[in-house]
């Protein structure tokens, strides 16, 4: 299995809702990442997990809460989002060491209403 | 990580070689050059990476100048499906907790019939 699977593919949520995005990989990668991408902009790094521990938080607001329950799964919990948080949320994984590339999922298209 | 400079857009005729340039004049000795592409509304796709030597795989070739200050991604026979945003990224090898892949603005390649 050489894929990163993200669910759901599309999500519409109200500003008072709580929802979660899910990311799964079975490549044995021990580094996982969340990126946010606004329309016509490059992906922006949000969080990095290494060996299931949060290693980088790029000053992301607390209404985004990441979780890595095991080496194959990465979640992004969403609460009290704003309309400007509407974006494509991308998950990626990689080896922890070495000059290897990242494998990206196809993303979750989030709309906050 | 070193910064990269790419032209914002390029056109290429279908069936011809597409040559995408990237300048990375501040690259450090241990930094790799990575190329990714992103087809509309999909996750970025890894293409190729290299350190010093030219590299080739089933998708593309990567030519790195001897001083490593610039590189060129070559798609030998471009097809309409190669229309995408191409990102050139330089970064050090992953090492434990310090993994980051930072995207610049990229080059939008339009392959025309």
């Amino acid at each position: 299995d050489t894929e990163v699977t993200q669910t759901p593919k599309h999500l519409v949520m109200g500003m008072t809702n709580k929802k979660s995005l899910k990311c799964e990989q079975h490549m044995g990668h021990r580094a996982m990442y969340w990126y946010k991408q606004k329309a016509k902009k490059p992906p922006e790094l949000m969080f990095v997990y290494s060996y299931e521990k949060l290693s980088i938080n790029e000053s992301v607001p607390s209404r985004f809460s990441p979780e890595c329950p095991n080496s194959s799964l990465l979640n992004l919990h969403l609460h009290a989002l704003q309309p400007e948080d509407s974006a494509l949320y991308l998950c990626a994984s990689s080896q922890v060491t070495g000059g290897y590339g990242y494998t990206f999922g196809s993303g979750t298209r989030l709309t906050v209403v | 990580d070193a910064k990269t400079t790419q032209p914002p857009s390029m056109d290429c005729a279908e069936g011809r070689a597409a040559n995408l340039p990237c300048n990375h004049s501040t690259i450090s000795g241990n930094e790799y050059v990575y190329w990714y592409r992103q087809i509309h509304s999909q996750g970025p796709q890894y293409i190729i990476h290299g350190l010093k030597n030219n590299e080739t795989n089933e998708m593309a070739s990567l030519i790195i100048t001897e001083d490593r200050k610039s590189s060129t991604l070559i798609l030998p026979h471009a097809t309409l499906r190669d229309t995408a945003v191409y990102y050139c990224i330089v970064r050090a090898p992953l090492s434990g907790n310090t993994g980051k892949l930072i995207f610049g603005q990229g080059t939008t390649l339009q392959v025309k019939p």
Side-chain angles (χ1 to χ4, degrees), chain A residues 33 35 37 40-43 45 48 50 55-56 58 88 90 94-102 104-106 109, chain B residues 32 34 36 38 40-46 49 87 91-105:
Chain A
Y33 312 82
Y35 283 80
Q37 186 174 26
K40 299 189 185 302
K41 296 291 186 183
L45 182 65
V48 179
S50 179
S55 62
I56 296 175
E58 293 286 281
L88 180 68
L90 294 160
S94 74
Q95 302 283 3
V96 175
T97 58
Y100 298 103
Y102 290 24
F104 282 83
S106 55
R109 176 76 58 189
Chain B
Y32 286 79
Y34 290 84
Y36 286 77
Q38 188 172 25
H40 181 62
S41 293
Q42 297 182 21
Q45 176 189 23
Y46 165 81
H49 75 281
Y87 295 102
R91 56 146 299 134
L94 298 167
S95 56
N97 295 326
T98 59
K100 272 192 181 187
L101 196 72
I102 305 299
F103 290 81
Q105 297 302 310

Side-chain angles (χ1 to χ4, degrees), chain A residues 32 49 51-54 66-75:
Chain A
M32 297 185 77
Y49 272 83
Y51 295 110
E52 296 85 68
K53 286 185 170 44
L54 182 66
E67 177 196 22
C68 190
N70 60 56
S71 60
S72 300
L73 192 56
L74 184 67
N75 298 320

